[in-house]
Amino acid sequence: MKVEVKKVDALKREMKFEIPREKVTEAMDSVYNEIGKHAKVKGFRPGKVPRHILATSHGQLAKDETIKKIIPQAYHEGIHEHKLNPIDLPEITEVNLKDGVLTFTATLDIRPEVKISDYKGIKVERKKNDVTEEEIQKTLEFFKKGRTDQEVTIDDNFAKGMGFPSLEEFKVALKRQLEFDKDRNNRMDIENQMVEELIKNAKLIVPQSLVKRQLYHRLNDALKRLKSQGMKDEELKAKAEELQKQLEPVVEREVRVYLILEEIARLEKITVNDQNESLPGKVIEFLLKEASWQEPK
């Protein structure tokens, strides 16, 4: 097998494969043996159809299956031989089986080198969870407006309608909910502080093939949601371009952060043993323990 590797850019590699006739013949013989076991040809029992008859009736299938059989094997041998570390599935093009020789091209992005420093002891500031009387009153104002644009009286009767014995009990529950919401938002804020520092302290080239694949899935999900909400096909087409522009920098940032967290996991030997666990989540948990916590201003 011949493999030529061309460096397209910092991460992209183009691999040209040439599989010799002997290997192709061996793979095709194996494919014909499998086809022959089940092929139904008039005048012959399954498993007893001569090869030249099979070639007439199932030649294209045999060719397609041979190509499917060889390409993955050859690709994995090629990246192992040339010590390449792909970050995603390759794009296979220029497939040609002629005169018993199979050629194809695999284009792939290799895993980038991630240089990360100062990821321990990141300074984070957690805001207070305290809920003020003013914040409670502001929330009550939303209730006061009501759903019918009419003023609602916030009193014991209103509280009973919400499932509480009195207005005071309702305010206690409301305060608890606001504290919970603040706590959750503060946690997200802390994680964002950490992520921003990690991005500042890391150097890497983001593989565009990975961004492209993630963007495709995110865009599809967003368009499906819009369609389920009643958006017409013409509107969806117009919306797709706008969404893509909005999502592209978001997705690129997410891929960048994931690669940074993955590198920290490698350096700190952090692994996931449970399918319900998330590697980024475990790394964030580790970084929070190592962080330098600042008093809220």
Side-chain angles (χ1 to χ4, degrees), residues 77-90:
E77 284 177 25
I79 61 174
H80 180 73
E81 179 188 339
H82 289 272
K83 296 180 173 58
L84 297 176
N85 187 10
I87 197 164
D88 203 0
L89 295 173

Side-chain angles (χ1 to χ4, degrees), residues 46-234:
K48 301 294 182 182
V49 184
R51 170 72 174 265
H52 69 281
I53 300 292
L54 280 177
T56 302
S57 59
H58 293 76
Q60 188 59 49
L61 174 63
K63 181 180 176 181
D64 293 344
E65 291 301 312
T66 298
I67 290 170
K68 282 185 200 175
K69 188 181 180 73
I70 291 175
I71 286 179
Q73 294 174 351
Y75 171 72
H76 285 294
E77 284 177 25
I79 61 174
H80 180 73
E81 179 188 339
H82 289 272
K83 296 180 173 58
L84 297 176
N85 187 10
I87 197 164
D88 203 0
L89 295 173
E91 180 186 1
I92 304 296
T93 56
E94 300 175 350
V95 179
N96 188 24
L97 179 53
K98 186 179 179 183
D99 299 329
V101 176
L102 174 64
T103 56
F104 68 92
T105 298
T107 306
L108 61 138
D109 275 344
I110 60 172
R111 186 171 293 277
E113 182 185 6
V114 179
K115 293 180 179 177
I116 175 72
S117 60
D118 302 328
Y119 59 85
K120 291 182 183 178
I122 292 175
K123 291 181 181 179
V124 292
E125 180 187 315
R126 185 181 179 88
K127 295 172 186 172
K128 292 179 179 178
N129 291 347
D130 300 343
V131 174
T132 65
E133 183 63 30
E134 183 185 358
E135 287 171 320
I136 294 172
Q137 289 304 322
K138 277 185 180 178
T139 307
L140 288 174
E141 285 298 317
F142 285 108
F143 287 105
K144 196 173 180 181
K145 191 72 176 174
R147 292 184 181 177
T148 57
D149 290 334
Q150 294 177 356
E151 289 288 328
V152 175
T153 305
I154 306 297
D155 56 12
D156 286 345
N157 285 331
F158 173 81
K160 286 174 183 174
M162 298 293 289
F164 296 89
S166 67
L167 179 58
E168 283 309 308
E169 289 285 341
F170 175 61
K171 286 171 74 175
V172 167
L174 182 58
K175 182 180 181 183
R176 200 159 41 234
Q177 182 61 48
L178 290 173
E179 285 172 344
F180 175 81
D181 291 344
K182 254 191 182 182
D183 184 63
R184 183 182 54 195
N185 291 336
N186 288 345
R187 163 77 187 215
M188 289 171 62
D189 179 60
I190 287 168
E191 289 188 10
N192 285 335
Q193 290 176 46
M194 296 193 72
V195 165
E196 287 302 322
E197 282 302 308
L198 291 173
I199 290 172
K200 272 195 258 180
N201 296 338
K203 290 182 181 177
L204 71 152
I205 298 170
V206 177
Q208 289 307 302
S209 64
L210 209 53
V211 173
K212 187 178 176 182
R213 181 160 66 91
Q214 290 296 101
L215 182 60
Y216 172 81
H217 291 305
R218 289 284 294 275
L219 190 58
N220 263 10
D221 289 344
L223 292 174
K224 279 179 186 174
R225 281 197 303 274
L226 290 172
K227 189 167 187 176
S228 70
Q229 292 165 11
M231 189 175 277
K232 305 295 182 188
D233 287 346
E234 300 77 24

Side-chain angles (χ1 to χ4, degrees), residues 249-261:
V250 175
V251 170
E252 180 154 343
R253 184 179 187 275
E254 288 174 351
V255 171
R256 181 182 296 276
V257 172
Y258 180 83
L259 291 170
I260 293 169
L261 294 176

Side-chain angles (χ1 to χ4, degrees), residues 29-59:
D29 287 345
S30 172
V31 167
Y32 267 115
N33 284 338
E34 286 302 311
I35 292 173
K37 289 176 185 177
H38 309 287
K40 293 180 180 178
V41 178
K42 192 174 180 180
F44 298 95
R45 287 180 296 161
K48 301 294 182 182
V49 184
R51 170 72 174 265
H52 69 281
I53 300 292
L54 280 177
T56 302
S57 59
H58 293 76

